[in-house]
Amino acid sequence: MNFRRIFLVKCMLLLFPSVKCFNTSWVYRAVNETALLSIAAPLTPGNSYYVIWNKGGQRLVQLRGTNTKYFVNREQCRCAMLRNGTLQIQRLQKEDSGNYTVMVYQDGKLKAEEKTIFFVQEPVPQPILTFRCGKKNVSVKCEAKQKAKDEAFTTELTQPNRKKIQNNSTTLEWHGRNFGMFRCVVKNQVSENMAEKVIECPGKMDFYLILSIAGGAVSFVIFVICLIYCIRRKKAKRREVYEEERAMHTLPVEREKGTRELPQTPSKATPRQLRVQQRPLPPQPQEQPLPPRPQPRPRAQPRTPNLPRERP
């Protein structure tokens, strides 16, 4: 669009070489809207200046102080001059597009001259996004119907990996193997419409999807196995170091215990001991009863001692 503006400016300078352009601007508006074409140059309040708006060399309206003069049918022009010199155009139509020039005079001298390149465009239609699945690829079509003639717009087709842009084309197609979210955008300077859709095709496309998911799952399992192996190996190394340190600390204590305590019999009997226990014991000889032991003779009662007799 910048090249188009430069081209229009060069054409105006070639057509009107004697006119010096003070300022040039580009304005875009949609059909049935209201446009305000303003003046960039500051205006001094008072009756010493007047403003004239022209379209393509034809005078439209003039403002001198507080008096407004129309050179065309006001209803047909649908235009009005505001107090600050701004040109107002209502209920825009395609015919209102063109080159507008405003000239500001003060004290009979040209103070400023400004040009406005005005474009009236229709809103772009709603695009239609369709697709068709093939054996090995998918075809996506972005179509903008009911387009007005000589209407400048841009069509964009966005896919998961790239974007395809084309100017002034009602149909934009793409062929490939990618699937996912597709977006179709049709826009111009005054409006923009969009259609988007998630496109997935069965068969070949599902096979690639399943293959990618399976590859990701296998990679994840391998990662988990490697992680578990590393953790266990690290724990084993720590256990070995701990056992070595423990053995070094307990060796002197066990040596002292070995010198003090006798070796303990094993808790479980050996097969030889079991066989010995299972053998029957030889018959024991019966012991003869011993004769009764002689009882001691009873002791005689003590005799009372004879007391000495008393002399008369």
Side-chain angles (χ1 to χ4, degrees):
M1 190 61 68
N2 293 331
F3 295 102
R4 186 177 180 180
R5 293 177 181 178
I6 296 172
F7 176 74
L8 291 174
V9 172
K10 289 182 178 180
C11 290
M12 288 188 297
L13 293 176
L14 291 175
L15 293 175
F16 307 98
S18 60
V19 178
K20 295 183 180 180
C21 182
F22 179 80
N23 188 17
T24 303
S25 59
W26 287 262
V27 179
Y28 296 86
R29 292 292 183 272
V31 176
N32 295 326
E33 288 186 353
T34 299
L36 296 175
L37 306 182
S38 60
I39 302 175
L43 299 179
T44 304
N47 297 327
S48 60
Y49 70 91
Y50 65 95
V51 181
I52 302 175
W53 277 96
N54 299 328
K55 179 188 176 183
Q58 181 183 3
R59 185 171 295 186
L60 297 177
V61 62
Q62 172 183 309
L63 174 66
R64 184 186 292 270
T66 58
N67 298 323
T68 304
K69 181 179 179 180
Y70 292 90
F71 298 94
V72 295
N73 187 354
R74 185 175 180 180
E75 297 297 332
Q76 184 178 1
C77 175
R78 305 179 311 282
C79 56
M81 177 80 78
L82 303 183
R83 295 298 181 184
N84 59 356
T86 300
L87 179 64
Q88 181 185 34
I89 306 175
Q90 300 177 350
R91 303 184 304 278
L92 291 173
Q93 299 178 5
K94 294 281 293 182
E95 294 77 12
D96 295 329
S97 299
N99 298 333
Y100 289 78
T101 304
V102 59
M103 292 180 290
V104 180
Y105 292 89
Q106 187 174 7
D107 298 329
K109 296 181 180 180
L110 181 62
K111 181 180 179 182
E113 181 178 355
E114 299 177 8
K115 292 185 180 296
T116 302
I117 303 175
F118 187 52
F119 297 94
V120 180
Q121 295 181 337
E122 293 184 1
V124 294
Q126 179 66 30
I128 300 174
L129 185 62
T130 58
F131 69 97
R132 181 174 56 85
C133 294
K135 294 183 179 180
K136 295 184 180 180
N137 57 8
V138 59
S139 299
V140 182
K141 179 187 292 186
C142 175
E143 188 174 3
K145 297 182 178 180
Q146 300 177 356
K147 187 191 79 68
K149 294 182 179 181
D150 301 330
E151 189 74 26
F153 67 99
T154 304
T155 304
E156 297 180 0
L157 180 59
T158 305
Q159 52 167 312
N161 295 335
R162 56 181 298 183
K163 180 187 293 186
K164 189 175 182 180
I165 303 175
Q166 194 167 350
N167 295 326
N168 302 328
S169 177
T170 58
T171 304
L172 186 59
E173 296 185 4
W174 177 86
H175 304 277
R177 294 186 178 182
N178 294 338
F179 58 93
M181 177 65 71
F182 283 77
R183 184 178 293 108
C184 176
V185 179
V186 179
K187 60 182 178 180
N188 57 9
Q189 296 291 338
V190 298
S191 62
E192 178 178 341
N193 281 323
M194 179 184 65
E196 58 183 7
K197 186 181 297 184
V198 178
I199 298 177
E200 294 182 358
C201 292
K204 203 79 173 179
M205 308 295 285
D206 290 344
F207 172 75
Y208 290 115
L209 177 62
I210 294 172
L211 187 62
S212 61
I213 294 175
V218 171
S219 302
F220 178 75
V221 171
I222 293 174
F223 171 75
V224 172
I225 293 174
C226 294
L227 182 62
I228 294 174
Y229 173 75
C230 293
I231 293 174
R232 289 188 174 181
R233 188 175 180 183
K234 194 172 183 179
K235 287 185 177 179
K237 288 184 177 180
R238 289 182 179 177
R239 192 179 296 110
E240 291 177 359
V241 173
Y242 175 74
E243 293 294 339
E244 290 178 359
E245 293 179 354
R246 185 179 178 183
M248 292 176 64
H249 287 291
T250 56
L251 187 59
V253 178
E254 290 181 354
R255 288 180 178 176
E256 293 179 359
K257 286 185 177 181
T259 56
R260 295 178 183 178
E261 297 180 0
L262 295 176
Q264 298 180 358
T265 58
S267 59
K268 294 183 179 180
T270 62
R272 185 175 181 181
Q273 292 176 352
L274 292 175
R275 287 196 300 270
V276 172
Q277 292 177 2
Q278 291 177 1
R279 290 179 183 176
L281 297 175
Q284 298 291 336
Q286 296 182 359
E287 296 180 357
Q288 296 295 328
L290 298 175
R293 187 175 182 181
Q295 298 292 331
R297 295 180 64 182
R299 178 183 296 183
Q301 294 182 357
R303 296 175 61 182
T304 58
N306 294 326
L307 297 176
R309 292 180 181 180
E310 296 182 358
R311 293 180 176 181

